[in-house]
Amino acid sequence: MTNSDYTEVTKSQKETWDSGDFNEIARQNVVMAEALCEAVDPHPGQSVLDVACGSGTVALVAERRYCEVTGIDYAPGLIERSKTRARANGQPIDFHVGDAQDMPFPDDQFDVVLSVYGVQFAPDQEQAASELHRVCKPSGTIGLASPIPEGWSGDWFATHAEYVAPPPGLRSPLRWGTDEGLDELLGAGTRSIESERRTALQYYRSVGHAVDVFSTYFGPTIRALETIDSKDQERLRSDLEDVFDRYNRATDGTAIVENQYLQTTAING
């Protein structure tokens, strides 16, 4: 893809992520944020950046350690939600509207750079990876929680793609959830990369409720449903129910959905 292609995709993505209310989805990511902060272990007083922070979940977790935390996301509505959450908790976090592919920070600014299901969605993956390296201090830590091609995440994104195909030439965010992809994106600029598969459980009242939550609050699902006709809308909802049901551990009519992901800790070069 050309730079102008990436610009157009980024613009469209901003509008998509600003629709709905991603905070209702991010509640299921708290366990990932907690696990990532435990693994990376930022200490009080260290500077921490949450990249593509959404509604600020990772930033809030890191600040509880009395770190000096900054968050950035290109969706203005999500940054406003992040600020609201931080104010309600009395947490002094510096949130910015900005693009993970072109962050408004100087080189070597942060001790720790984190992202949970965030930077992985940047259209220009190589540029986003380069920015992670640039803003992280030498010997600083980059911590990621990334969707993987297998399991719930892989099936979830594949189901959406059957109804609304991604732009030609755009690399899948699932690339960040593979050892090969991480080596291609981060390997040249890191001293080491360590990854492990982890499981996060998502809790819903039922499988139908899970689909309702995503259909109401998750920008990509909202956009997909808006793009297709009513018959395909019913089919998409049915297919999404099948995905949730496939990974549902509960047997009492509720939904406890198993989502495997890749947790990565990289030491910057």
Side-chain angles (χ1 to χ4, degrees), residues 147-183:
I148 63 174
E150 301 80 25
W152 179 85
S153 287
D155 288 358
W156 179 258
F157 290 113
T159 299
H160 280 75
E162 290 178 10
Y163 291 85
V164 181
L170 189 68
R171 301 294 297 268
S172 169
L174 304 176
R175 180 187 182 196
W176 291 85
T178 66
D179 291 335
E180 180 182 3
L182 286 169
D183 186 60

Coordinates of all heavy atoms in Angstrom, one line a residue, residues 147-183:
P147 N -3.9 -10.1 19.5 CA -4.7 -11.2 19.1 C -3.9 -12.1 18.2 O -3.0 -11.8 17.5 CB -5.8 -10.5 18.2 CG -5.1 -9.2 17.8 CD -4.2 -8.8 18.9
I148 N -4.3 -13.4 18.2 CA -3.6 -14.5 17.5 C -4.5 -15.0 16.4 O -5.7 -14.9 16.4 CB -3.1 -15.6 18.4 CG1 -4.4 -16.3 19.1 CG2 -2.2 -15.1 19.5 CD1 -4.0 -17.5 19.9
P149 N -3.9 -15.6 15.4 CA -4.7 -16.1 14.3 C -5.6 -17.3 14.6 O -6.6 -17.6 13.9 CB -3.6 -16.6 13.3 CG -2.4 -15.9 13.6 CD -2.4 -15.7 15.1
E150 N -5.3 -18.0 15.7 CA -6.1 -19.2 16.1 C -7.1 -18.7 17.2 O -7.0 -17.6 17.7 CB -5.2 -20.3 16.7 CG -4.1 -20.8 15.8 CD -2.9 -19.9 15.7 OE1 -2.7 -19.2 16.7 OE2 -2.2 -20.0 14.7
G151 N -8.1 -19.6 17.5 CA -9.0 -19.4 18.6 C -10.0 -18.3 18.3 O -10.3 -18.0 17.1
W152 N -10.6 -17.7 19.4 CA -11.7 -16.8 19.3 C -11.3 -15.6 18.4 O -12.1 -15.2 17.5 CB -12.1 -16.3 20.6 CG -13.2 -15.4 20.6 CD1 -14.6 -15.6 20.5 CD2 -13.1 -13.9 20.6 NE1 -15.3 -14.5 20.5 CE2 -14.4 -13.4 20.5 CE3 -12.0 -13.0 20.6 CZ2 -14.7 -12.0 20.5 CZ3 -12.3 -11.7 20.6 CH2 -13.6 -11.2 20.5
S153 N -10.2 -15.0 18.6 CA -9.8 -13.8 17.9 C -9.7 -14.1 16.4 O -10.2 -13.3 15.6 CB -8.4 -13.2 18.4 OG -8.6 -12.6 19.6
G154 N -9.0 -15.1 16.0 CA -8.9 -15.5 14.6 C -10.2 -15.7 14.0 O -10.5 -15.2 12.9
D155 N -11.1 -16.5 14.6 CA -12.4 -16.8 14.1 C -13.3 -15.5 14.0 O -14.1 -15.3 13.1 CB -13.1 -17.8 14.9 CG -12.5 -19.2 14.7 OD1 -11.6 -19.3 13.9 OD2 -13.0 -20.1 15.4
W156 N -13.1 -14.6 15.0 CA -13.9 -13.4 15.1 C -13.6 -12.5 13.9 O -14.5 -12.0 13.2 CB -13.6 -12.7 16.4 CG -14.4 -11.4 16.6 CD1 -13.9 -10.1 16.4 CD2 -15.7 -11.2 17.0 NE1 -14.8 -9.2 16.7 CE2 -16.0 -9.8 17.0 CE3 -16.8 -12.1 17.2 CZ2 -17.2 -9.3 17.3 CZ3 -18.0 -11.6 17.6 CH2 -18.2 -10.3 17.6
F157 N -12.3 -12.3 13.7 CA -11.9 -11.4 12.6 C -12.2 -12.0 11.2 O -12.6 -11.3 10.2 CB -10.5 -11.0 12.7 CG -10.2 -10.1 13.8 CD1 -9.4 -10.5 14.9 CD2 -10.7 -8.8 13.8 CE1 -9.2 -9.7 16.0 CE2 -10.4 -7.9 14.9 CZ -9.7 -8.4 16.0
A158 N -12.0 -13.3 11.1 CA -12.3 -14.0 9.8 C -13.8 -13.9 9.5 O -14.2 -13.8 8.3 CB -11.9 -15.5 9.9
T159 N -14.7 -14.0 10.5 CA -16.1 -13.9 10.3 C -16.5 -12.6 9.7 O -17.3 -12.4 8.8 CB -16.9 -14.3 11.6 OG1 -16.6 -15.6 12.0 CG2 -18.4 -14.1 11.3
H160 N -15.9 -11.5 10.3 CA -16.2 -10.2 9.8 C -15.7 -10.0 8.4 O -16.4 -9.4 7.6 CB -15.5 -9.1 10.7 CG -16.3 -8.8 12.0 ND1 -16.3 -9.7 13.1 CD2 -17.0 -7.7 12.3 CE1 -17.0 -9.1 14.0 NE2 -17.5 -8.0 13.6
A161 N -14.5 -10.6 8.1 CA -14.0 -10.4 6.8 C -14.8 -11.1 5.7 O -14.8 -10.7 4.5 CB -12.5 -11.0 6.7
E162 N -15.6 -12.1 6.1 CA -16.5 -12.8 5.1 C -17.6 -11.8 4.6 O -18.1 -12.0 3.5 CB -17.1 -14.0 5.7 CG -16.1 -15.1 6.0 CD -16.8 -16.3 6.6 OE1 -18.1 -16.3 6.7 OE2 -16.1 -17.2 7.1
Y163 N -17.9 -10.8 5.4 CA -19.0 -9.9 5.0 C -18.5 -8.6 4.6 O -19.1 -8.0 3.7 CB -19.9 -9.7 6.3 CG -20.7 -11.0 6.6 CD1 -20.2 -12.0 7.4 CD2 -22.0 -11.2 6.1 CE1 -20.9 -13.1 7.7 CE2 -22.7 -12.3 6.4 CZ -22.1 -13.3 7.2 OH -22.8 -14.4 7.5
V164 N -17.4 -8.1 5.2 CA -16.8 -6.8 4.8 C -15.3 -7.1 4.6 O -14.6 -7.2 5.6 CB -17.1 -5.7 5.8 CG1 -16.4 -4.4 5.3 CG2 -18.6 -5.5 6.0
A165 N -14.8 -7.2 3.4 CA -13.4 -7.5 3.2 C -12.5 -6.3 3.6 O -12.9 -5.2 3.3 CB -13.2 -7.9 1.7
P166 N -11.4 -6.6 4.2 CA -10.5 -5.5 4.5 C -9.9 -4.9 3.2 O -9.9 -5.5 2.1 CB -9.4 -6.2 5.3 CG -9.4 -7.6 4.9 CD -10.9 -7.9 4.6
P167 N -9.4 -3.7 3.2 CA -8.8 -3.0 2.1 C -7.7 -3.9 1.5 O -6.9 -4.5 2.2 CB -8.2 -1.7 2.6 CG -9.0 -1.4 3.8 CD -9.3 -2.8 4.4
P168 N -7.6 -4.0 0.1 CA -6.5 -4.8 -0.5 C -5.2 -4.4 -0.1 O -4.9 -3.2 0.0 CB -6.8 -4.5 -2.0 CG -8.2 -4.1 -2.1 CD -8.5 -3.3 -0.8
G169 N -4.3 -5.3 0.3 CA -2.9 -5.0 0.7 C -2.7 -4.7 2.1 O -1.6 -4.6 2.6
L170 N -3.8 -4.6 2.9 CA -3.7 -4.3 4.3 C -3.3 -5.6 5.1 O -4.0 -6.6 5.0 CB -5.0 -3.7 4.9 CG -5.0 -3.2 6.3 CD1 -4.1 -1.9 6.3 CD2 -6.4 -2.8 6.8
R171 N -2.3 -5.5 5.9 CA -1.9 -6.7 6.7 C -2.8 -6.9 7.9 O -3.3 -5.9 8.5 CB -0.4 -6.6 7.2 CG 0.6 -6.4 6.1 CD 0.7 -7.6 5.2 NE 1.2 -8.8 5.9 CZ 2.5 -9.1 6.0 NH1 3.4 -8.4 5.5 NH2 2.8 -10.2 6.7
S172 N -3.0 -8.1 8.2 CA -3.9 -8.4 9.3 C -3.3 -8.1 10.7 O -2.1 -8.3 10.9 CB -4.2 -9.9 9.3 OG -4.9 -10.3 10.5
P173 N -4.1 -7.5 11.6 CA -3.6 -7.3 13.0 C -3.1 -8.5 13.7 O -2.3 -8.5 14.6 CB -4.8 -6.6 13.7 CG -6.0 -7.0 12.9 CD -5.5 -7.1 11.5
L174 N -3.6 -9.7 13.2 CA -3.2 -11.0 13.8 C -1.7 -11.3 13.6 O -1.2 -12.2 14.2 CB -4.1 -12.1 13.2 CG -5.6 -11.9 13.4 CD1 -6.3 -13.1 12.7 CD2 -6.0 -11.9 14.9
R175 N -1.1 -10.6 12.6 CA 0.3 -10.7 12.4 C 1.1 -10.5 13.7 O 2.2 -11.1 13.9 CB 0.8 -9.8 11.3 CG 2.3 -9.8 10.9 CD 2.6 -8.7 10.0 NE 4.0 -8.7 9.5 CZ 4.5 -7.7 8.9 NH1 3.8 -6.5 8.7 NH2 5.8 -7.7 8.6
W176 N 0.7 -9.5 14.5 CA 1.4 -9.2 15.8 C 1.3 -10.3 16.8 O 2.0 -10.4 17.7 CB 0.8 -8.0 16.4 CG 1.0 -6.7 15.7 CD1 0.3 -6.2 14.6 CD2 2.0 -5.7 15.9 NE1 0.8 -4.9 14.2 CE2 1.9 -4.6 15.0 CE3 3.0 -5.6 16.9 CZ2 2.7 -3.5 15.0 CZ3 3.9 -4.5 16.9 CH2 3.7 -3.5 16.0
G177 N 0.4 -11.3 16.5 CA 0.2 -12.4 17.4 C 0.9 -13.6 17.0 O 0.6 -14.7 17.4
T178 N 2.0 -13.5 16.2 CA 2.8 -14.6 15.8 C 4.2 -14.3 16.0 O 4.7 -13.1 15.9 CB 2.6 -14.9 14.3 OG1 3.1 -13.8 13.5 CG2 1.1 -15.1 13.9
D179 N 5.1 -15.3 16.3 CA 6.5 -15.1 16.5 C 7.1 -14.5 15.3 O 8.0 -13.6 15.3 CB 7.2 -16.4 16.9 CG 6.8 -16.9 18.3 OD1 6.4 -16.0 19.1 OD2 6.8 -18.1 18.6
E180 N 6.7 -15.0 14.1 CA 7.3 -14.6 12.8 C 7.0 -13.1 12.6 O 7.9 -12.3 12.2 CB 6.8 -15.4 11.7 CG 7.3 -15.0 10.3 CD 6.8 -15.8 9.2 OE1 5.9 -16.6 9.4 OE2 7.2 -15.6 8.0
G181 N 5.7 -12.7 12.8 CA 5.3 -11.3 12.6 C 6.1 -10.4 13.6 O 6.5 -9.3 13.2
L182 N 6.2 -10.8 14.8 CA 6.9 -10.0 15.8 C 8.4 -9.8 15.5 O 9.0 -8.7 15.6 CB 6.8 -10.6 17.2 CG 5.4 -10.4 17.9 CD1 5.4 -11.3 19.1 CD2 5.2 -9.0 18.3
D183 N 9.0 -10.9 15.0 CA 10.4 -10.8 14.6 C 10.5 -9.8 13.4 O 11.5 -9.0 13.3 CB 10.9 -12.2 14.2 CG 12.4 -12.2 13.9 OD1 13.2 -11.8 14.8 OD2 12.8 -12.5 12.8

